[in-house]
Amino acid sequence: MSQKSLVDEMHQVQLAIELIELGARLQVLETETELSRTRLIKLYKEVRGMSPPKGMLPFSADWFVTWLPNVHSSLFYNIYNSIQQNTRCERIDAFVKAYRLYEEQINLEGVEPVLGLTRAWTLVRFFESDLLQLNTCNRCEGHFVAHAHSPTRDYVCGICQPPSRAGKTRKAQC
């Protein structure tokens, strides 16, 4: 094995470990690394102490435009977009940095994270597939996740105009 291929493989393993630690599902690891499925499963078991969860990844863009998920998705995607535009990071490295910054911000605010790593990854993929876009709020001028090709004129975000039941969870009512 050449020096370069050894370095590449080490980078792939390090990336996989970092993604696993952040909560990536096996499908994300298979897409974003060049490691075999068998190797990824072994790494997952080593890092998490259990087998990777089974099941399908989220597949609907609708979740990202509902009120609370939209606030979190918009925060994450704006961070990701900024890193992409202002650095020379590779796409996956920008993604990991953006997700870490999202988690850090959420922790500073003392709220529960709504956007898991797999959903954040799916969000980026939906943008890359032109299923989602950023709309600018007419009131606060923030950029928010919306369905692609949705009207942008007179757009008001869920922060400036929250739905009537916003924040009224069962836990808050008890």
Side-chain angles (χ1 to χ4, degrees):
M1 187 178 270
S2 74
Q3 183 73 15
K4 185 180 179 345
S5 60
L6 185 60
V7 169
D8 288 345
E9 172 135 358
M10 287 173 53
H11 176 58
Q12 291 292 308
V13 169
Q14 185 57 45
L15 174 61
I17 290 170
E18 194 169 13
L19 289 169
I20 292 166
E21 289 172 344
L22 290 170
R25 300 271 299 270
L26 192 57
Q27 296 93 321
V28 174
L29 299 170
E30 287 178 304
T31 303
E32 297 299 336
T33 69
E34 297 169 10
L35 302 173
S36 71
R37 181 177 179 83
T38 305
R39 182 88 186 268
L40 290 169
I41 291 170
K42 284 180 184 176
L43 268 175
Y44 195 97
K45 287 178 181 177
E46 223 174 279
V47 172
R48 288 282 175 149
M50 61 185 178
S51 295
K54 293 175 176 37
M56 294 175 55
L57 295 179
F59 60 88
S60 173
D62 292 340
W63 184 86
F64 297 103
V65 297
T66 59
W67 180 69
L68 189 57
N70 185 261
V71 172
H72 285 254
S73 298
S74 298
L75 172 63
F76 166 78
Y77 194 76
N78 280 291
I79 294 168
Y80 171 76
N81 216 16
S82 178
I83 291 171
Q84 281 282 88
Q85 290 173 0
N86 298 309
T87 69
R88 292 184 182 180
C89 287
E90 286 186 33
R91 179 187 152 281
I92 190 64
D93 294 327
F95 171 78
V96 169
K97 287 178 188 206
Y99 192 74
R100 287 190 185 283
L101 285 170
Y102 161 76
E103 280 190 325
E104 188 178 305
Q105 187 61 44
I106 294 305
N107 286 335
L108 286 172
E109 297 298 322
V111 296
E112 289 290 315
V114 172
L115 191 67
L117 181 114
T118 299
R119 281 216 193 255
W121 179 80
T122 304
L123 174 71
V124 170
R125 300 276 295 214
F126 283 168
F127 269 92
E128 292 170 348
S129 301
D130 292 325
L131 292 171
L132 294 172
Q133 68 186 23
L134 286 177
N135 282 359
T136 303
C137 176
N138 288 337
R139 293 186 189 167
C140 69
E141 297 182 5
H143 302 285
F144 291 85
V145 174
H147 286 291
H149 315 295
S150 63
T152 58
R153 190 167 170 246
D154 300 325
Y155 177 79
V156 179
C157 72
I159 294 174
C160 291
Q161 188 175 326
S164 59
R165 303 247 340 124
K168 295 178 182 169
T169 62
R170 286 187 195 145
K171 189 189 274 186
Q173 292 173 348
C174 294

